[in-house]
């Protein structure tokens, strides 16, 4: 069971629904009350677009082990559900536990961008880039903030694209 949640993240990223479904079924039969099992099941529900169920299982995982990266993943679920306030709360908890989690910093940027607050979004995108400077997705997100009507800083946006 060890590190199977990491394997489920790979299956999720590859959108391997059948393999993730099989893995989720196996962990339910093996030990459905382990935090890793709950994360695997959450990833399955996320891939199926059932974000409420995914959140439910991430919460269950956090009750079993409050230091998991599940806070970040739950934040992603809330973003998908357009619940920016809950997403921000989850991401803040994630960075309290792991201040180097670029995904949580990026998620905070996304949430503030969704709320039309590009100054805040830029702050959080910069934090994520500090921890993962070679990820083009992070630079593109920051460039898009610079291009908003509120900022309209095109020279800064161009720098992000280079």
């Amino acid at each position: 069971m060890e590190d199977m949640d990491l394997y489920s993240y790979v299956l999720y990223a590859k959108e391997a629904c059948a393999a993730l479904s099989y893995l989720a079924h196996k962990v339910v039969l093996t030990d459905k009350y382990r935090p890793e099992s709950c994360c695997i099941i959450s990833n399955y529900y996320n891939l199926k677009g059932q974000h409420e169920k995914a959140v439910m299982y991430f919460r269950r995982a956090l009750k079993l082990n409050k230091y998991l990266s599940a806070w970040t993943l739950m934040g992603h679920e809330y973003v998908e559900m357009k619940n920016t306030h809950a997403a921000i709360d989850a991401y803040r908890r994630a960075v309290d536990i792991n201040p180097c989690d670029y995904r949580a910093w990026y998620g905070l940027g996304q949430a503030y961008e969704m709320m039309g607050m590009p100054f805040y979004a830029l702050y959080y995108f910069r934090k994520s880039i500090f921890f993962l400077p070679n990820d083009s997705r992070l630079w593109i997100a920051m460039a898009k903030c610079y291009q908003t009507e509120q900022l309209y800083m095109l020279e800064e946006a161009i720098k992000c694209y280079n």
Side-chain angles (χ1 to χ4, degrees):
M1 183 76 79
E2 190 108 0
D3 295 328
M4 291 307 285
D5 55 327
L6 300 177
Y7 177 58
S8 79
Y9 302 143
V10 172
L11 294 175
Y12 170 80
K14 292 178 68 177
E15 297 182 8
C17 193
L20 188 52
S21 172
Y22 177 79
L23 180 61
H25 181 72
K26 281 297 203 188
V27 299
V28 166
L29 295 176
T30 305
D31 187 357
K32 66 181 177 181
Y33 296 108
R34 286 183 59 135
E36 298 87 352
S37 299
C38 295
C39 287
I40 291 166
I41 296 165
S42 292
N43 285 331
Y44 169 73
Y45 281 124
N46 179 320
L47 193 56
K48 298 289 285 180
Q50 297 179 19
H51 303 292
E52 292 85 3
K53 284 187 178 181
V55 166
M56 180 182 75
Y57 278 95
F58 281 133
R59 282 190 181 148
R60 190 173 293 171
L62 288 165
K63 284 181 183 175
L64 298 168
N65 180 349
K66 65 181 178 175
Y67 297 107
L68 286 173
S69 65
W71 283 115
T72 301
L73 299 171
M74 192 160 54
H76 297 339
E77 294 300 326
Y78 284 128
V79 165
E80 288 293 324
M81 296 163 57
K82 308 289 189 258
N83 186 345
T84 52
H85 296 290
I88 288 168
D89 180 58
Y91 290 134
R92 286 190 191 284
R93 289 176 187 240
V95 296
D96 285 346
I97 293 167
N98 180 5
C100 299
D101 185 355
Y102 81 93
R103 300 169 308 154
W105 291 113
Y106 174 72
L108 281 164
Q110 279 186 307
Y112 280 105
E113 185 179 41
M114 289 171 67
M115 292 172 30
M117 302 172 77
F119 287 105
Y120 284 94
L122 276 175
Y123 172 80
Y124 293 114
F125 287 144
R126 282 188 189 116
K127 293 284 278 186
S128 68
I129 287 170
F130 177 79
F131 294 109
L132 198 66
N134 295 324
D135 191 324
S136 62
R137 294 171 300 159
L138 307 179
W139 286 100
I140 290 169
M142 195 158 72
K144 287 182 179 179
C145 276
Y146 281 124
Q147 291 173 280
T148 61
E149 285 183 28
Q150 290 131 310
L151 298 180
Y152 205 68
M153 299 170 71
L154 298 183
E155 288 183 28
E156 293 299 318
I158 290 168
K159 289 177 189 175
C160 293
Y161 288 122
N162 289 329

